[in-house]
Amino acid sequence: MSHNLLSSNFFTMAKDVIPGGVNSPVRACMSVGCDPVFIEKAEECYLYDPDGNSYIDYVCSWGPMILGHGHPHMVSAVSEALAQGTSFGAPTWREVALANKIVDMLPSIEMVRLVNSGTEATMSAIRLARGYTGRKKILKFDGCYHGHADSFLVKAGSGVATLGIPGSPGVPEEIVSNTISIPFNNRSALEKAIEQETDQLAAVIMEPVPANMGVILPDEGFLEFVREKTSKNNILLIFDEVITGFRLAPGGAQEYFGIMPDITCLGKIIGGGLPVGAYGGKKEIMEQIAPSGPVYQAGTLSGNPLATAAGIATLEVLERPGFYESLKEKADYLAEGMKKLATDSGIPCVNQRIGSMMTTFFGQQEPVKNFQDAMKSDTDMYAAFYRNMLSEGIWLAPSQFEAAFVSLAHNWDALDFTLDAAESAFTRLKNI
Ligand SMILES: *Cc1c(COP(=O)(O)O)cnc(C)c1O
């Protein structure tokens, strides 16, 4: 885009000193065939680039910004914390306050440990599961993303799927040989894997609603089935709610579907845009963690005062009456509008949504139920749609295999503006 002069200069300089010019792969926008736009600042539902263009933000920092940008309650909470000191390496009341909120909100969590990212939460959770059960294998689902720790880079979603790479060099085979990956929504594959590995499986880890291969809904009864099979075989069930936590409901997918996992991983929203992750579960399991137990896990900046202030403030806003209803009302409006535009345009695509997270899969006619289905999407069509929307000032994820998020800050004007932009984008796609 010719009107992104400063941004493209920054990218040129970035590529010289940062691998690919970015600090997380999908940001490079490679799969949608354009250079990334740099962002200078954000307000409410808008992002601003250094060239003075604005964008309506549906990436929401890949999920965390459920309040939108610069929510006054967040700003004052973090400013207050900042003035009191940024890190002490000693316990603070804010950690207790955030832990209490998490225990109150997440039905299956009795005790929680704070970390600094979703990746740290999931890798610590499987260490805990292995330590607790004395078993070493884990089972995951194709296309689910659980951060970038070695054990999870097997048929992973998000950037791994976007770049079309099977795993990653640098991950020893001995490590991934302990990871089994099966298709989502596939009961017989789960039964078979559990049968073969019963005495070796420490945990099944899953996104209860996968959002890193695009948004995929669990089939009716599938989560119940996983819960039943894992319980029966003394395998721990880990819900990776890094995206769904506080998004689908105050208590995440476990509240939404009424399924209690043994361990839950949290991230993204829990830090409101500052680096926080967490993992929690039953006391009996969590007390295995050092120093109350032998499973080691630590962090210099864990429970950081700014991050916990941001987390507490975010959760406080989520608890206000009507929050989720209002979010859902906006998401309904957007999703229904998108569906209608897509149908009217005649372009084959399927919009999948739950609550305030959604994906439009291009080139699809039937519901997308697993990674294999998702991979059949028309990524060129998505890329064309993405570029059209960007040029209209709409900021979508630069990959078919991600979710769009609605935040509290999306106002009706912004939603209407988005639907108008989508209408012209669909029209232009039809004329290609
Ligand atoms: C983003 C994400 C992670 C990793 O979190 P980071 O903070 O990026 O390390 C893990 N699991 C899921 C489901 C995610 O969406």
Side-chain angles (χ1 to χ4, degrees):
M1 294 204 310
S2 57
H3 58 293
N4 288 112
L5 272 177
L6 279 172
S7 190
S8 61
N9 281 345
F10 289 152
F11 187 51
T12 306
M13 289 190 275
K15 279 188 289 191
D16 214 28
V17 287
I18 301 172
V22 291
N23 282 312
S24 196
V26 190
R27 291 182 203 165
C29 297
M30 280 160 83
S31 74
V32 288
C34 45
D35 284 352
V37 175
F38 277 57
I39 293 302
E40 193 163 81
K41 61 171 187 178
E43 263 168 38
E44 300 179 347
C45 69
Y46 299 96
L47 299 174
Y48 298 89
D49 71 18
D51 296 281
N53 304 300
S54 68
Y55 308 87
I56 300 171
D57 180 16
Y58 291 99
V59 177
C60 294
S61 187
W62 306 90
M65 310 313 292
I66 194 167
L67 308 184
H69 301 279
H71 190 284
H73 188 55
M74 266 274 296
V75 173
S76 65
V78 177
S79 309
E80 189 188 304
L82 176 62
Q84 294 173 345
T86 53
S87 189
F88 319 122
T92 64
W93 68 264
R94 283 193 183 86
E95 295 165 80
V96 187
L98 183 54
N100 261 315
K101 275 216 165 309
I102 295 167
V103 168
D104 281 350
M105 291 171 88
L106 273 290
S108 73
I109 298 187
E110 294 173 359
M111 196 173 246
V112 62
R113 170 58 66 82
L114 298 179
V115 292
N116 304 287
S117 70
T119 295
E120 257 191 84
T122 53
M123 72 180 214
S124 308
I126 58 164
R127 181 181 302 145
L128 173 60
R130 285 167 164 158
Y132 179 77
T133 59
R135 301 167 175 179
K136 65 179 181 188
K137 293 202 175 177
I138 58 162
L139 185 141
K140 67 178 280 293
F141 293 90
D142 303 348
C144 280
Y145 180 69
H146 303 295
H148 68 87
D150 286 354
S151 299
F152 301 119
L153 294 181
V154 182
K155 296 186 184 162
S158 190
V160 186
T162 304
L163 298 174
I165 50 182
S168 171
V171 176
E173 196 146 318
E174 298 86 314
I175 291 183
V176 289
S177 68
N178 289 315
T179 303
I180 300 155
S181 191
I182 62 168
F184 195 78
N185 276 331
N186 189 325
R187 295 182 185 211
S188 59
L190 180 73
E191 249 172 349
K192 213 172 114 199
I194 289 183
E195 218 166 86
Q196 278 170 0
E197 308 281 355
T198 319
D199 301 335
Q200 301 211 53
L201 272 177
V204 169
I205 183 167
M206 70 193 304
E207 297 181 69
V209 178
N212 285 291
M213 45 180 152
V215 172
I216 293 202
L217 305 182
D219 284 344
E220 181 82 47
F222 182 66
L223 296 175
E224 286 83 351
F225 184 78
V226 180
R227 177 66 280 186
E228 188 193 311
K229 288 289 159 194
T230 46
S231 296
K232 221 178 246 172
N233 293 284
N234 299 315
I235 300 163
L236 297 184
L237 176 59
I238 305 174
F239 270 7
D240 179 351
E241 297 228 40
V242 169
I243 285 186
T244 51
F246 313 106
R247 165 89 36 203
L248 291 186
Q254 54 196 263
E255 176 185 331
Y256 191 97
F257 292 103
I259 311 273
M260 296 303 110
D262 300 299
I263 302 177
T264 302
C265 301
L266 299 166
K268 298 196 167 116
I269 289 174
I270 206 187
L274 272 84
V276 189
Y279 62 110
K282 292 193 192 90
K283 268 197 178 141
E284 183 201 335
I285 301 174
M286 292 304 291
E287 280 181 336
Q288 293 298 309
I289 300 167
S292 59
V295 177
Y296 197 72
Q297 185 270 310
T300 302
L301 295 176
S302 294
N304 174 267
L306 299 191
T308 45
I312 295 164
T314 301
L315 301 190
E316 280 170 352
V317 178
L318 301 188
E319 286 178 319
R320 291 180 185 169
F323 180 90
Y324 287 91
E325 288 77 5
S326 150
L327 201 59
K328 183 171 179 301
E329 201 185 342
K330 291 170 183 175
D332 284 349
Y333 184 73
L334 183 70
E336 292 313 314
M338 285 292 288
K339 260 185 205 165
K340 183 170 183 319
L341 292 172
T343 311
D344 293 351
S345 75
I347 288 173
C349 58
V350 171
N351 183 284
Q352 297 195 169
R353 180 185 61 110
I354 179 167
S356 58
M357 49 200 263
M358 66 185 88
T359 297
T360 303
F361 291 95
F362 283 85
Q364 301 275 9
Q365 317 262 21
E366 301 292 327
V368 178
K369 289 179 168 287
N370 57 36
F371 190 48
Q372 206 188 359
D373 289 352
M375 283 291 135
K376 291 181 199 141
S377 303
D378 187 340
T379 51
D380 290 339
M381 185 77 91
Y382 181 84
F385 184 74
Y386 171 90
R387 291 191 301 266
N388 273 303
M389 290 295 268
L390 188 69
S391 70
E392 302 273 346
I394 311 296
W395 190 268
L396 300 176
S399 163
Q400 170 71 86
F401 309 113
E402 301 286 351
F405 297 106
V406 178
S407 78
L408 177 69
H410 285 92
N411 55 59
W412 297 103
D413 282 350
L415 296 175
D416 280 330
F417 188 93
T418 306
L419 290 173
D420 285 346
E423 185 169 15
S424 25
F426 277 121
T427 306
R428 270 183 261 162
L429 287 195
K430 210 166 41 177
N431 298 333
I432 291 177

